[in-house]
């Protein structure tokens, strides 16, 4: 009898001390030890809720990051890929309507000039792009001259650059190679007559253009404007010169 009583008492104590999983219905009456892997999906959700409720906000963030990092990374990857594809599709719709390369510019960006000239053209198409490229530096001491020369050659060969503004030493590197158009052959008679004192064959000295000076694009004088012979937007090129002297 004594042994039977002791056995019953031992069984009762063991059953009463079994580990409980908070927030899982019916667990209190469980006949044996249960692990999280044994739980149903509903029970796991309930357990997650209970764990999060017992944590501070920092603990919640750490917990969510630790256990849901793979899922969050996958979602982020899908978002980034989707955004990249969207941007790629949008870029396909863009088309340059004018490209100006400013050599040794004192400005990092040409956004204001791009916006102002596009407004001057009366172009409201969001996919029409006025491109003012101020990234080309040809300072010998900076070691960037070779890279810029390669970029210019590539863009000129592709017909991408319409107009180039440069200091005299850079102009001299490309003059005499049929790279620039004679301005007398491009400008109408009235515009040519207006600017003839600043024109020398294929180059236009911008020293007397108030608007060009206001842009702050070049910190050197003279700044020579030349029309690239392979450019594809001659009409807007002429309008750009008109814009600079309006």
């Amino acid at each position: 009898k004594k042994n039977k009583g002791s056995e019953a008492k031992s069984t009762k104590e063991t059953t009463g001390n079994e580990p409980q999983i908070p927030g899982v219905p019916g667990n209190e009456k469980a006949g044996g030890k249960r692990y999280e892997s044994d739980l149903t999906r509903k029970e796991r959700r309930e357990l997650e809720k209970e764990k999060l409720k017992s944590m501070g906000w920092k603990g919640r963030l750490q917990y969510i990051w630790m256990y849901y990092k793979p899922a969050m990374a996958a979602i982020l990857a899908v978002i980034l890929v989707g955004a990249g594809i969207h941007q790629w599709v949008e870029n396909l719709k863009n088309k340059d309507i004018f490209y100006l390369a400013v050599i040794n510019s004192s400005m990092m960006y040409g956004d204001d000039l791009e916006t102002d000239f596009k407004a001057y053209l009366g172009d409201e198409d969001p996919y029409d792009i006025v491109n003012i490229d101020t990234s080309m530096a040809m300072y010998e001491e900076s070691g960037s001259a070779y890279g810029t020369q390669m970029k210019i050659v590539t863009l000129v060969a592709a017909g991408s650059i319409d107009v180039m503004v440069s200091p005299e030493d850079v102009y001299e590197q490309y003059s005499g190679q049929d790279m620039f158009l004679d301005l007398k052959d491009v400008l109408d008679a009235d515009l040519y007559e207006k600017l003839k004192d600043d024109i020398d064959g294929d180059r236009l000295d911008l020293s007397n253009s108030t608007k060009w000076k206001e842009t702050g694009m070049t910190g050197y004088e003279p700044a020579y404007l030349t029309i690239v012979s392979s450019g594809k937007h001659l009409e807007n090129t002429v309008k750009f010169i008109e814009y600079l002297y309006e």
Side-chain angles (χ1 to χ4, degrees):
K1 289 182 180 179
K2 183 176 179 181
N3 290 338
K4 287 182 180 181
S6 298
E7 183 179 346
K9 184 177 180 180
S10 176
T11 301
K12 184 177 180 181
E13 287 175 353
T14 302
T15 303
N17 291 332
E18 287 177 355
Q20 303 294 312
I21 302 177
V24 180
N27 183 68
E28 294 80 359
K29 297 179 181 180
K33 192 173 182 179
R34 300 184 71 196
Y35 298 93
E36 288 189 31
S37 59
D38 300 325
L39 304 180
T40 64
R41 288 185 178 180
K42 183 177 180 180
E43 290 173 336
R44 288 178 185 173
R45 287 197 297 270
E46 292 296 328
L47 179 59
E48 295 293 325
K49 288 180 183 179
E50 290 299 323
K51 286 181 179 179
L52 290 173
K53 283 181 182 179
S54 65
M55 297 177 182
W57 67 272
K58 288 184 178 179
R60 291 180 185 181
L61 287 177
Q62 292 174 348
Y63 181 83
I64 291 172
W65 176 247
M66 182 180 298
Y67 287 95
Y68 296 98
K69 183 163 55 177
M72 292 168 70
I75 292 171
L76 179 60
V78 170
I79 292 172
L80 291 176
V81 169
I85 292 174
H86 174 74
Q87 188 60 50
W88 178 70
V89 171
E90 287 297 300
N91 288 340
L92 287 178
K93 299 177 183 178
N94 293 339
K95 62 179 184 294
D96 281 345
I97 59 172
F98 178 72
Y99 191 119
L100 166 65
V102 185
I103 312 301
N104 295 348
S105 176
S106 53
M107 302 285 286
M108 291 185 64
Y109 307 102
D111 298 9
D112 292 342
L113 182 56
E114 290 171 351
T115 301
D116 198 43
F117 180 52
K118 188 174 181 182
Y120 175 83
L121 293 174
D123 190 321
E124 297 181 353
D125 188 331
Y127 297 109
D128 285 353
I129 305 299
V130 170
N131 194 340
I132 310 297
D133 188 346
T134 61
S135 67
M136 301 185 190
M138 291 186 70
Y139 302 107
E140 290 294 341
E141 61 272 16
S142 70
S144 60
Y146 180 74
T148 297
Q149 288 172 352
M150 294 303 295
K151 181 176 180 179
I152 290 174
V153 169
T154 301
L155 292 175
V156 168
S160 299
I161 299 178
D162 297 302
V163 173
M164 191 163 78
V165 172
S166 63
E168 186 169 14
D169 61 322
V170 175
Y171 163 79
E172 294 292 346
Q173 291 183 39
Y174 296 102
S175 64
Q177 301 180 25
D178 296 323
M179 181 170 162
F180 307 128
L181 296 177
D182 191 313
L183 294 171
K184 192 172 185 178
D185 297 334
V186 177
L187 306 181
D188 63 57
D190 291 339
L191 185 57
Y192 183 83
E193 183 65 25
K194 178 180 178 180
L195 304 177
K196 66 180 182 180
D197 292 340
D198 296 325
I199 293 175
D200 181 10
D202 58 6
R203 70 186 190 184
L204 170 63
D205 185 344
L206 295 175
S207 298
N208 291 320
S209 171
T210 301
K211 179 156 289 187
W212 179 257
K213 289 182 178 179
E214 288 175 348
T215 67
M217 283 288 163
T218 49
Y220 52 82
E221 283 192 8
Y224 289 122
L225 180 150
T226 49
I227 299 176
V228 179
S229 57
S230 62
K232 299 175 181 177
H233 310 104
L234 189 57
E235 183 179 349
N236 285 342
T237 293
V238 173
K239 287 182 178 179
F240 181 69
I241 295 174
E242 293 173 346
Y243 160 80
L244 291 179
Y245 291 90
E246 67 171 345

